[in-house]
Amino acid sequence: SGDAGGGNPLCLAAKVRAAPTAHEASRVDEYIRWTLYGVKPDTASPPLKSLQIREEEVAAGEADAESVDGVRMTMFYYNCSGPKGAPPCSDASSGHFAWRYSEADKCHKPFGGPTWCMTETMANATYRGFNYPHQISSYWAMYHVARHTTLPTVRDWHWYLYRAGKTALKLGTSNVGFMDGTVAREVLAALLLEGEAGNTTLAAIGAQLRGQMQRRQQRWAVTPHPYGSEFGFDTTGQEEVVVWNLYFGNETAAKLTVDHVLSYMRSSPTWPYHGGARSWGDVGNNGKYLATFGTGVQDRGQMHYRAGLN
């Protein structure tokens, strides 16, 4: 998910959706089959979990009905028995693989921003909407491969679109936009199209998803500043605010949000001015260790991934 390094499958899914090859499509299929919506009984140890809570887990009594289709924070976590999560820590606490979380001794120390260290309870949480578009994209890509190409797939096109739709429904009626949430609009279009062709199951999911997205748009249309994100310093929520306002015909609210982005992003098409966006706490997402950890100085990343969204 977004908390579990979801950028890698998201990037490959985008490539597969645009220009699939047999090998690339098979890798996304493999990710869905063994990680996103499946388990690895031949290599993993109990408790066997998939990143997304499967319908089979509910049927087996391993998860409650309300949690089905929820996306967990991550498949890896640490458990430390010391005060406030301090060491000593188990080297194999994730249950899946024997691995050593070498930086666990720093997880309990506040540095002014999130450390992203995950206990088992945190790892199983499914509340964070920003984790969902990443996974929807994998289903969405494979739907197109199965529906519009002759490349081999593990499942048929209906299964992939069904899973994309069900996962998109978990976005609910959130009052903030989600990064990469444009994929929900694309899934909605496919659901409605397949519904018109006579698939009542997909039509029903599409109708429900459209209703949810319209409620979000209607709220944004009357909100003075509708472009909020999950954090006050974040700018990843504007994408969906624009996308859904345009979808439902409100160009005024969409322009308000675009103007907001332009108020802090220079229009000069140069990397120093337009290729970066200030951040807080996300330098780890960029593959960099927290350089100022323990110094009392906050970490801020200049070349943040949200710059592309802006």
Side-chain angles (χ1 to χ4, degrees):
S1 64
D3 285 297
N8 289 334
L10 174 63
C11 182
L12 184 56
K15 166 59 171 68
V16 168
R17 166 63 184 91
T21 66
H23 174 67
E24 292 167 347
S26 72
R27 298 312 299 269
V28 177
D29 230 355
E30 184 179 74
Y31 167 68
I32 294 172
R33 184 180 185 184
W34 301 116
T35 301
L36 176 55
Y37 208 76
V39 296
K40 306 180 182 71
D42 57 333
T43 59
S45 302
L48 298 176
K49 297 178 182 178
S50 53
L51 187 56
Q52 186 169 33
I53 298 177
R54 294 162 289 126
E55 295 174 354
E56 296 94 310
E57 292 181 73
V58 176
E62 299 170 357
D64 59 80
E66 292 185 359
S67 67
V68 69
D69 299 321
V71 175
R72 294 181 168 101
M73 291 284 199
T74 180
M75 300 301 291
F76 289 98
Y77 51 85
Y78 77 99
N79 278 324
C80 300
S81 57
K84 297 183 179 181
C89 305
S90 169
D91 285 349
S93 58
S94 72
H96 293 270
F97 304 97
W99 68 295
R100 183 170 179 268
Y101 196 75
S102 61
E103 305 300 326
D105 62 323
K106 302 178 178 64
C107 289
H108 70 289
K109 300 178 180 179
F111 75 99
T115 62
W116 309 122
C117 298
M118 294 283 175
T119 63
E120 182 175 5
T121 299
M122 293 165 64
N124 283 326
T126 60
Y127 68 85
R128 189 168 183 257
F130 279 77
N131 290 334
Y132 289 74
H134 296 63
Q135 314 312 328
I136 296 170
S137 297
S138 290
Y139 292 132
W140 169 240
M142 292 310 300
Y143 156 70
H144 275 280
V145 172
R147 186 61 159 149
H148 301 125
T149 79
T150 58
L151 298 177
T153 59
V154 173
R155 303 276 193 166
D156 61 26
W157 66 264
H158 179 278
W159 187 90
Y160 294 113
L161 185 55
Y162 174 82
R163 292 268 18 105
K166 293 285 285 183
T167 308
L169 286 176
K170 297 297 285 187
L171 295 173
T173 57
S174 173
N175 60 2
V176 299
F178 297 121
M179 181 172 62
D180 305 316
T182 300
V183 69
R185 181 195 64 186
E186 301 302 297
V187 169
L188 173 59
L191 289 167
L192 297 178
L193 183 64
E194 299 291 1
E196 291 175 359
N199 193 304
T200 56
T201 298
L202 298 179
I205 296 175
Q208 185 178 352
L209 181 60
R210 187 183 190 280
Q212 288 183 184
M213 298 304 108
Q214 188 166 29
R215 285 195 290 277
R216 298 173 75 198
Q217 181 272 325
Q218 290 171 341
R219 184 186 302 116
W220 291 329
V222 297
T223 302
H225 307 288
Y227 35 74
S229 188
E230 63 177 339
F231 302 119
F233 57 83
D234 207 345
T235 59
T236 54
Q238 289 91 331
E239 173 189 355
E240 267 204 306
V241 176
V242 173
V243 163
W244 290 116
N245 271 296
L246 290 178
Y247 182 88
F248 290 108
N250 192 323
E251 294 186 10
T252 300
K255 184 178 184 302
L256 178 66
T257 306
V258 172
D259 287 345
H260 170 249
V261 174
L262 292 176
S263 72
Y264 58 81
M265 289 296 293
R266 301 193 183 210
S267 58
S268 173
T270 61
W271 174 254
Y273 284 140
H274 201 64
R278 296 199 77 185
S279 178
W280 174 71
D282 274 354
V283 287
N285 293 5
N286 296 335
K288 298 178 289 185
Y289 183 66
L290 306 178
T292 61
F293 188 90
T295 66
V297 179
Q298 291 187 359
D299 282 278
R300 300 188 71 97
Q302 294 295 334
M303 301 308 167
H304 194 277
Y305 52 80
R306 72 174 63 100
L309 292 175
N310 294 336

